[in-house]
């Protein structure tokens, strides 16, 4: 358990890895702000699962593709809880297009949600974390940032951008007791993976040394560890959770 109740915000907490992260953080004693964009019932289900286990959670809606989305979200969470100690930037989208076929709109929309919104969420949370001289920021990147992914150059670029952003921020805020780390999932069984899996399951499993896909909780538990007091001397790190698909 955490030494005191922390307030955690997980973007994209309605489904998949975000849902699992909310549950893992609540199990550690955090009060969780479960963010969602469109799936209100899924966010309510995440909050209900936490309540059923004796924890605290509230759902918050925001479209982080909109210019004011991040600032509005952080303001709403601060208005409710007065502080944010843990920020997990997990919400993202993946669309499919070769570089040649990609439109400006596709490129910009992906960069806006997957990278710019992360910058805006971090910027808006920093005053609260600095006031309390404690903070945990965990940015969810992807194996694609390190290996590339055909037909996902926009997605891979946004996720690689998170590395430069996170390492820079870690240097800026370390003196205030704030850590900034990245978690890089490989192939994890969520909607994002399942939408692209038809006909490729066997090939993908063969490429994975552990010979299976990851479960969302296997990423959520790592994020929860990085958010805990036990991870007090880890900052500017990337933790790979991919069944051995990337060995560097
Ligand atoms: N699954 C994988 O294999 C895998 C691999 C590598 C990296 N990742 C990364 O892990 C993270 C979670 O992925 P996942 O597979 O759990 O994703 P997912 O199941 O597709 O869920 C995406 C989440 O992002 C939210 N979201 C989407 N568009 C948004 C917008 N415009 N504004 C605000 N929120 C928005 C969704 O909210 P609603 O449900 O309300 O629409 C949902 O909660 C992402 O950063 C992803 O890039 C995943």
């Amino acid at each position: 358990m955490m030494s005191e109740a922390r307030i955690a915000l997980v973007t994209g907490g309605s489904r998949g890895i975000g849902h699992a992260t909310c549950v893992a953080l609540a199990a550690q004693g955090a009060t969780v702000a479960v963010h969602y964009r469109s799936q209100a019932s899924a966010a309510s289900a995440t909050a209900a699962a936490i309540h059923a286990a004796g924890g605290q959670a509230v759902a918050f809606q925001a479209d982080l593709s909109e210019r004011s989305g991040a600032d509005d979200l952080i303001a709403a969470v601060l208005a409710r809880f007065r502080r944010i100690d843990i920020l997990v930037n997990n919400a993202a989208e993946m669309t499919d297009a070769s570089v040649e076929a990609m439109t400006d709109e596709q490129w910009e929309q992906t960069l806006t949600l997957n990278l710019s919104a992360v910058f805006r969420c971090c910027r808006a949370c920093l005053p609260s974390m600095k006031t309390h001289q404690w903070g945990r920021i965990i940015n969810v990147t992807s194996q694609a940032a390190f290996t590339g992914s055909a037909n996902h150059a926009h997605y891979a670029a946004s996720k690689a951008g998170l590395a430069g952003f996170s390492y820079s921020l870690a240097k800026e805020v370390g003196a205030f007791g704030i850590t900034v780390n990245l978690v890089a999932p490989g192939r994890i069984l969520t909607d994002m993976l399942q939408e692209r899996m038809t006909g490729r399951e066997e090939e993908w499993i063969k490429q994975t040394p552990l010979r299976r896909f990851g479960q969302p909780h296997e990423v959520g538990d790592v994020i929860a560890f990085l958010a805990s007091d036990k991870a007090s001397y880890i900052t500017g790190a990337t933790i790979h959770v991919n069944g051995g698909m990337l060995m560097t």
Side-chain angles (χ1 to χ4, degrees), residues 11-19 35-40 42-43 61-66 89-94 109 113-114 117 139-144 155 159 162 183-195 214 216 219 241:
T11 68
S14 47
R15 296 187 270 141
I17 291 169
H19 165 88
H35 159 263
Y36 69 99
R37 177 197 49 173
S38 56
Q39 299 210 12
Q61 194 279 334
D63 186 343
L64 296 174
S65 297
E66 288 175 6
N89 285 301
N90 164 80
E93 66 159 32
M94 181 190 237
Q109 187 172 325
L113 175 62
N114 295 9
N139 294 328
V140 181
T141 176
S142 169
Q143 178 183 311
Y155 176 83
K159 294 298 191 176
L162 283 179
V183 170
R187 292 193 176 117
I188 311 298
L189 270 177
T190 68
D191 295 341
M192 189 181 278
L193 187 80
Q194 277 163 330
E195 282 159 15
V219 182
V241 186

Side-chain angles (χ1 to χ4, degrees), residues 2-212:
M2 288 168 180
S3 52
E4 60 182 287
R6 308 282 191 196
I7 306 298
L9 166 61
V10 180
T11 68
S14 47
R15 296 187 270 141
I17 291 169
H19 165 88
T21 301
C22 290
V23 169
L25 287 168
Q28 269 177 197
T31 294
V32 184
V34 180
H35 159 263
Y36 69 99
R37 177 197 49 173
S38 56
Q39 299 210 12
S41 57
S44 298
T46 302
I50 290 171
H51 291 148
Q56 299 291 324
V58 178
F60 291 84
Q61 194 279 334
D63 186 343
L64 296 174
S65 297
E66 288 175 6
R67 182 98 195 175
S68 63
D71 286 338
D72 291 348
L73 171 64
I74 304 303
V77 177
L78 286 173
R80 175 71 187 248
F81 296 116
R82 304 277 156 226
R83 59 194 285 169
I84 296 173
D85 305 299
I86 298 163
L87 170 64
V88 181
N89 285 301
N90 164 80
E93 66 159 32
M94 181 190 237
T95 57
D96 307 80
S98 68
V99 170
E100 248 186 304
M102 196 177 298
T103 62
D104 284 354
E105 289 71 26
Q106 255 178 317
W107 173 267
E108 278 153 20
Q109 187 172 325
T110 298
L111 270 287
T112 298
L113 175 62
N114 295 9
L115 183 57
S116 302
V118 172
F119 149 65
R120 292 186 184 118
C121 284
C122 290
R123 182 178 61 183
C125 281
L126 287 175
S128 169
M129 292 179 177
K130 279 187 172 179
T131 297
H132 297 98
Q133 294 283 296
W134 196 95
R136 295 280 190 269
I137 295 173
I138 297 105
N139 294 328
V140 181
T141 176
S142 169
Q143 178 183 311
F146 302 87
T147 59
S149 178
N151 299 319
H152 304 117
H154 51 343
Y155 176 83
S158 69
K159 294 298 191 176
L162 283 179
F165 171 75
S166 302
Y167 301 151
S168 303
L169 182 58
K171 290 187 172 181
E172 288 184 18
V173 300
F176 301 96
I178 302 168
T179 67
V180 185
N181 292 292
L182 293 153
V183 170
R187 292 193 176 117
I188 311 298
L189 270 177
T190 68
D191 295 341
M192 189 181 278
L193 187 80
Q194 277 163 330
E195 282 159 15
R196 298 173 172 81
M197 201 159 72
T198 311
R200 308 188 68 185
E201 193 168 350
E202 209 177 309
E203 173 201 345
W204 283 357
I205 286 176
K206 265 193 204 148
Q207 291 168 353
T208 312
L210 286 181
R211 294 290 186 270
R212 64 176 178 84

